[in-house]
Amino acid sequence: MTRDIFLADAHLLCPDTENYQQLLAFLETQRGRMRTLYILGDLFEFWVGYRHLVFTPYIPLLEKLRSLHCDGTQIVYVEGNHDFHLGPFFRDNLDCLILPDGGTVEIDGKRVFLCHGDRINDRDRGYLLWRGLLRSAPLKAAMALLPGDLTWRVALWASRVSQKGNAAKSKRSLPLGLLEKFARDRLAQGCDVVITGHFHQPLQRNLDQGLLLGLGDWITQYSYAVHENGRFELKTYAP
């Protein structure tokens, strides 16, 4: 298996939704073909890892990931702004490489920088402070004490509030200048490819020093990237 798949921003919530079903179907088509699955954040609408609990609506996807792992696919997970503190299931059941803030991996001799993308705008200090608070050790410990059903009810409420925001993201102009500057900085540091999620719009841009890929989303676009035979390419799943 030499094919690698990159996807982000599915914001999954309920197993009976179309994007959830289409993701399960897509992952099944990759069985036996996929060397590594790179998830670049916000696969879930909400995830925080409990020690002995997973949220019931996510069990079909988690079982699919475990099945792929058992078939030899490695899973790399870059935490997003909706899914963090991934917890024991990903570490212990999937032997997953977790990158809380992204980072550089080597793929067939190429240095690939992976990130969710929510930290690209370093001028948004308010968001960055909030992000740091959510990921802090004291808040992680406090969240672990909350009953799972209460956490899930809060997540459902937050999802309803953010749905309009997700819809707006698909229409928002892409901050191309900001993305290109971020990518050029990483390429200048020796990376060959920069791949990001978060912005909900697919983008493939050849820069002077390397390649910039924005993954789009798996809400309505079903866009993803594939690395195969030395090439990185954006694609769209069409069942």
Side-chain angles (χ1 to χ4, degrees):
M1 295 186 292
T2 59
R3 164 179 285 209
D4 305 302
I5 297 294
F6 306 79
L7 57 85
D9 294 286
H11 291 268
L12 299 179
L13 191 61
C14 300
D16 58 353
T17 56
E18 182 176 359
N19 70 322
Y20 198 130
Q21 291 298 313
Q22 295 292 6
L23 182 56
L24 293 177
F26 169 72
L27 292 175
E28 186 61 29
T29 69
Q30 302 304 307
R31 181 182 298 279
R33 306 170 61 198
M34 183 167 48
R35 175 175 59 181
T36 308
L37 173 63
Y38 294 91
I39 301 168
L40 270 62
D42 289 3
L43 183 67
F44 304 98
E45 178 64 14
F46 175 82
W47 177 282
V48 58
Y50 282 86
R51 183 171 298 277
H52 301 297
L53 170 72
V54 297
F55 297 120
T56 301
Y58 293 142
I59 288 176
L61 177 62
L62 298 175
E63 288 300 323
K64 179 67 70 177
L65 293 177
R66 176 154 43 189
S67 177
L68 292 170
H69 168 65
C70 291
D71 282 348
T73 294
Q74 181 186 7
I75 299 172
V76 177
Y77 207 120
V78 177
E79 293 185 345
N81 52 302
H82 283 251
D83 43 9
F84 48 91
H85 299 323
L86 287 179
F89 183 89
F90 283 88
R91 184 187 66 237
D92 299 339
N93 293 282
L94 299 179
D95 192 25
C96 180
L97 173 61
I98 300 170
L99 302 175
D101 295 316
T104 303
V105 298
E106 185 168 318
I107 303 176
D108 293 347
K110 291 186 181 294
R111 288 173 54 81
V112 181
F113 185 84
L114 307 173
C115 64
H116 178 59
D118 59 322
R119 299 173 69 213
I120 286 179
N121 184 3
D122 57 6
R123 296 180 181 179
D124 190 353
R125 299 186 183 279
Y127 169 73
L128 294 175
L129 286 171
W130 174 245
R131 185 185 190 278
L133 174 63
L134 288 176
R135 286 161 173 73
S136 66
L139 191 58
K140 179 181 178 181
M143 293 173 72
L145 297 176
L146 293 175
D149 57 346
L150 175 60
T151 305
W152 184 248
R153 288 198 296 271
V154 172
L156 290 176
W157 170 82
S159 174
R160 289 192 293 269
V161 171
S162 69
Q163 280 177 358
K164 292 182 180 179
N166 286 336
K169 282 181 182 178
S170 65
K171 300 176 182 178
R172 187 180 306 164
S173 60
L174 193 67
L176 188 56
L178 190 66
L179 279 170
E180 287 195 357
K181 180 183 182 303
F182 177 85
R184 290 182 194 278
D185 289 345
R186 297 304 176 278
L187 297 172
Q189 294 168 10
C191 293
D192 302 292
V193 183
V194 174
I195 306 179
T196 182
H198 186 59
F199 295 100
H200 290 242
Q201 296 185 56
L203 169 72
Q204 182 164 344
R205 183 63 61 98
N206 292 304
L207 304 175
D208 293 339
Q209 296 169 289
L211 178 65
L212 167 63
L213 286 174
L215 295 178
D217 67 38
W218 200 278
I219 298 173
T220 58
Q221 300 168 6
Y222 305 141
S223 56
Y224 64 100
V226 60
H227 167 259
E228 195 168 23
N229 299 323
R231 296 184 58 192
F232 291 83
E233 185 179 4
L234 276 179
K235 294 192 173 184
T236 300
Y237 176 58

